[in-house]
Amino acid sequence: MPEQSPGSRPTLEAVAARAGVSRATASRVVNGGDGVRKPLVDKVRAAVDELGYIPNHAARTLVTRRTGAVAVVIAEPEIRIFSDPFFSQQIRGISKELTAHDTQLVLLLVEGPGDFDRIARYLSGGHVDGALAFSLHTDDALPEITRRAGIPAVYGGRPSPTADPGDQAVPFVDADNRGGARLAVRLLKDLGRERIAHICGPPDQTSAMDRLDGYRDVLPDADPALIAEGAFTVESGARAMTELLERRPGLDAVFAANDLMASGALRVLRERGISVPEQVALVGFDDMDPVAKETDPPLTTINQDIEGQGRLMARLLLGALDRGRAGSGTTPASVITSTTLVRRASA
Amino acid sequence: MPEQSPGSRPTLEAVAARAGVSRATASRVVNGGDGVRKPLVDKVRAAVDELGYIPNHAARTLVTRRTGAVAVVIAEPEIRIFSDPFFSQQIRGISKELTAHDTQLVLLLVEGPGDFDRIARYLSGGHVDGALAFSLHTDDALPEITRRAGIPAVYGGRPSPTADPGDQAVPFVDADNRGGARLAVRLLKDLGRERIAHICGPPDQTSAMDRLDGYRDVLPDADPALIAEGAFTVESGARAMTELLERRPGLDAVFAANDLMASGALRVLRERGISVPEQVALVGFDDMDPVAKETDPPLTTINQDIEGQGRLMARLLLGALDRGRAGSGTTPASVITSTTLVRRASA
DNA sequence: CTGAAAGCGCTAACAG
DNA sequence: CTGTTAGCGCTTTCAG
């Protein structure tokens, strides 16, 4: 590929001239070459190589009305994203899938509440063909925004407490949080634990509430004082554990709604000289790398395939885009991915 | 803003018609409105609002040759990105700065060695006006690729051992790794430690080598057996610590080239019953959230403003783009950001 | 200060 | 199978 100085790139016109064909034929070859005779195809290909031709994306988009790009919108102004490998992994999965389909990833980070306007404008502006969105807090405006933008969107995580997988309006990919929580609590129960506490996540996140529901599925009559609320951070986990210990010193097991909180809880237990898992068994959620393996003792936790979820989100969206082009505008169906119990030393 | 169904968006033509002006005037208003009489400006603005007009980006790019987007290229196929908040923070900073200048962030993740071709094509394809790149391993092709793509680029981290801040060819933003390392080692020395070991990072990363140089600046005559190589991961830090302890059981301090390795080292020390900081003082690097604060004891370490670095990278690039438009194609100068010592309990 | 006209580079009917 | 012809929606001289 010859070096390019910007602003002087060869056009299709130039390629056509060099190959001795019309612009239309050159275009056909560049776009796959169906229905063009072999010798001409070769000539055009040669011209493309010699000239270092690269199609002008803007011109192509202008006529095809496809940008070949999708937005990834992350509505998380909090510091949490900084210490959360969750997004990195999910994005890695998305990126892999998009790349495999020659689609670009435009990252839209919400920096503050006023940003939703900007996002809305961008999504409606024909910059992208679709959107992949992470709407962590149920009160945020994202689902409404993508709906109004009139472009297909797939969510990472169930976007609202009322959304269900059958819902055609807001397709999403989510782990089986409730089922995973049941796995965790059932393990604790099978271990013979009788006072199983739960450190739940923030009530405005569906994943937190789903995990709480799973806990309640297994322990419908649990003492309410055995439930403490955290914020999915290490610190909040420590605080919740302290609270729990004050309220119910006799507890013999804890299910934390994520590994970060579990590690905070672990620290408090260690400080108090309470042995894990002997006196208190502990189970986390996420199987977060490297947290889960590196705590002392390593965490028994619930694994979910985060990168796979990202890939799946992208696949669903790309499918919708293809169908959109074909005219049959079906929204994709939501998918719930499975969770598995990973047994380590903490329970 | 009225709801949009895709493919039926109002054009500038429609706005002009509704406002009773020509397309040219409408365009002028949409782009700032200089040199248009007030009443007409208002009419056009009203029409824009009523119609919910949003400029077509592709059409605009086609004529202006500016995309309003920059690529962020991350050449890190390894798993490291998953557990490294470094990128998240850096990207957060970049995103803030770009957003403030109405510029979009296109994320390009390198998934494997074959991907560089794809990246090169994209960068040359007129999709973006410039690139922000992270080239962690000195042997990768990124600097060459951005150079040939003919678009301005700014690097995060010194891209090669030979690159220096005065070098006009490859502008970069990097922390003062060497100076930070000196800070760390000098502290240990001032504490009266006499056998100060170093766990260094991979030799193909300039940040690792710069930190090693800083160590050597303070301890030019250090016993080579006091230096062990890690890979910036927790596990590798643990391995290196084990090695060090075998070779020099009498060591009384360790400077680890990042917090992740420091935490691995800490685990090994704890397992051996070696008290920190009493028997062995430990200093990390990065002040990584939440690792540094959550270890037991919390890490004394070197802080760098990662988000600030990201912001700075974006600012340098945007400056170059503006100058590019003005015709005076100056490349930005590199910047080295300062590091500070954060004293906690491990040293 | 405003409008008319040209054209950015490409694809997609439509003829031939 | 290939070429000709129209635009896609916008900015930008250039006249008026």
Side-chain angles (χ1 to χ4, degrees), chain B residues 137-334:
Chain B
H137 304 286
T138 58
D139 62 340
D140 81 39
L142 221 45
E144 177 60 13
I145 285 175
T146 53
R147 203 186 58 70
R148 296 179 63 142
I151 58 176
V154 174
Y155 278 79
R158 202 159 61 97
S160 84
T162 56
D164 76 282
D167 196 341
Q168 284 285 308
V170 192
F172 62 85
V173 172
D174 203 357
D176 181 10
N177 288 305
R178 189 164 181 164
R182 280 197 293 256
L183 249 35
V185 181
R186 231 178 259 136
L187 168 71
L188 262 7
K189 206 176 168 189
D190 289 347
L191 254 23
R193 304 296 168 145
E194 302 191 316
R195 282 170 306 278
I196 304 174
H198 179 44
I199 301 179
C200 66
D204 70 339
Q205 297 190 220
T206 55
S207 64
M209 290 307 95
D210 290 349
R211 290 168 195 186
L212 174 57
D213 285 343
Y215 168 83
R216 287 193 172 130
D217 285 344
V218 181
L219 301 171
D221 305 316
D223 174 3
L226 279 173
I227 300 177
E229 184 183 319
F232 278 153
T233 64
V234 177
E235 262 322 307
S236 72
R239 260 196 310 276
M241 190 69 242
T242 308
E243 228 174 86
L244 249 18
L245 252 16
E246 264 162 29
R247 291 206 295 244
R248 294 292 182 266
L251 62 85
D252 58 8
V254 177
F255 164 49
N258 78 346
D259 289 346
L260 253 21
M261 295 196 296
S263 92
L266 201 52
R267 194 183 72 207
V268 170
L269 292 167
R270 191 191 313 125
E271 286 167 3
R272 308 276 170 107
I274 299 172
S275 67
V276 175
E278 293 76 9
Q279 291 173 271
V280 171
L282 177 65
V283 180
F285 203 115
D286 285 346
D287 196 12
M288 179 183 287
D289 217 18
V291 178
K293 282 179 192 140
E294 293 301 333
T295 53
D296 177 25
L299 287 178
T300 288
T301 185
I302 303 297
N303 175 280
Q304 52 175 326
D305 177 9
I306 300 178
E307 187 177 316
Q309 282 166 233
R311 247 198 313 259
L312 194 52
M313 287 175 66
R315 209 170 297 156
L316 291 180
L317 183 64
L318 289 169
L321 293 180
D322 278 350
R323 285 197 303 279
R325 200 166 30 173
S328 52
T330 343
T331 41
S334 297

Side-chain angles (χ1 to χ4, degrees), chain A residues 80 83-87 89-90 174-177 180-181 184 201 205 207-208 211 231-233 255-262 283-293 299-307 309 338-342 344:
Chain A
R80 205 190 133 211
S83 44
D84 195 343
F86 191 83
F87 288 116
Q89 287 194 48
Q90 195 110 230
D174 202 358
D176 182 9
N177 287 305
Q205 298 191 220
S207 64
R211 290 168 196 186
F232 278 153
T233 63
F255 164 49
N258 78 349
D259 290 345
L260 251 23
M261 295 197 295
V283 180
F285 203 114
D286 286 344
D287 195 13
M288 179 184 285
D289 219 18
V291 179
K293 281 180 192 138
L299 287 178
T300 289
T301 187
I302 304 296
N303 174 280
Q304 51 176 326
D305 177 9
I306 300 177
E307 186 177 316
Q309 282 166 231
S338 65
T339 50
T340 55
L341 180 68
V342 178
R344 296 209 180 84

Side-chain angles (χ1 to χ4, degrees), chain B residues 13-23 25-26 40 43-44 47:
Chain B
E13 183 79 54
V15 172
R18 175 152 194 139
V21 301
S22 73
R23 221 164 58 221
T25 299
L40 284 195
K43 262 195 208 156
V44 173

Side-chain angles (χ1 to χ4, degrees), chain B residues 26-88:
Chain B
S27 171
R28 289 184 188 109
V29 173
V30 167
N31 293 296
D34 310 332
V36 178
R37 243 178 318 202
K38 188 78 194 314
L40 284 195
V41 171
D42 291 343
K43 262 195 208 156
V44 173
R45 293 246 161 89
V48 164
D49 282 353
E50 286 160 14
L51 263 31
Y53 170 75
I54 299 177
N56 180 308
H57 185 243
R60 184 177 273 178
T61 295
L62 186 55
V63 36
T64 60
R65 275 136 198 310
R66 283 202 110 213
T67 64
V70 312
V72 170
V73 189
I74 302 186
E76 178 62 68
E78 301 306 319
I79 196 154
R80 206 190 131 211
I81 193 179
F82 291 168
S83 41
D84 195 343
F86 191 83
F87 288 115
S88 315

Side-chain angles (χ1 to χ4, degrees), chain A residues 211-229:
Chain A
R211 290 168 196 186
L212 174 57
D213 286 342
Y215 168 83
R216 286 192 172 127
D217 286 345
V218 179
L219 302 170
D221 305 315
D223 175 3
L226 279 173
I227 299 177
E229 185 183 319

Side-chain angles (χ1 to χ4, degrees), chain A residues 240-315:
Chain A
M241 189 70 242
T242 309
E243 232 174 83
L244 249 16
L245 252 15
E246 265 161 29
R247 293 206 295 246
R248 294 293 183 266
L251 63 83
D252 58 8
V254 177
F255 164 49
N258 78 349
D259 290 345
L260 251 23
M261 295 197 295
S263 90
L266 200 53
R267 193 184 72 207
V268 170
L269 291 167
R270 191 193 311 127
E271 287 166 4
R272 308 279 170 104
I274 300 172
S275 67
V276 176
E278 293 76 9
Q279 290 171 272
V280 170
L282 177 65
V283 180
F285 203 114
D286 286 344
D287 195 13
M288 179 184 285
D289 219 18
V291 179
K293 281 180 192 138
E294 294 300 333
T295 54
D296 177 26
L299 287 178
T300 289
T301 187
I302 304 296
N303 174 280
Q304 51 176 326
D305 177 9
I306 300 177
E307 186 177 316
Q309 282 166 231
R311 247 197 313 257
L312 194 52
M313 287 175 67
R315 211 170 296 156

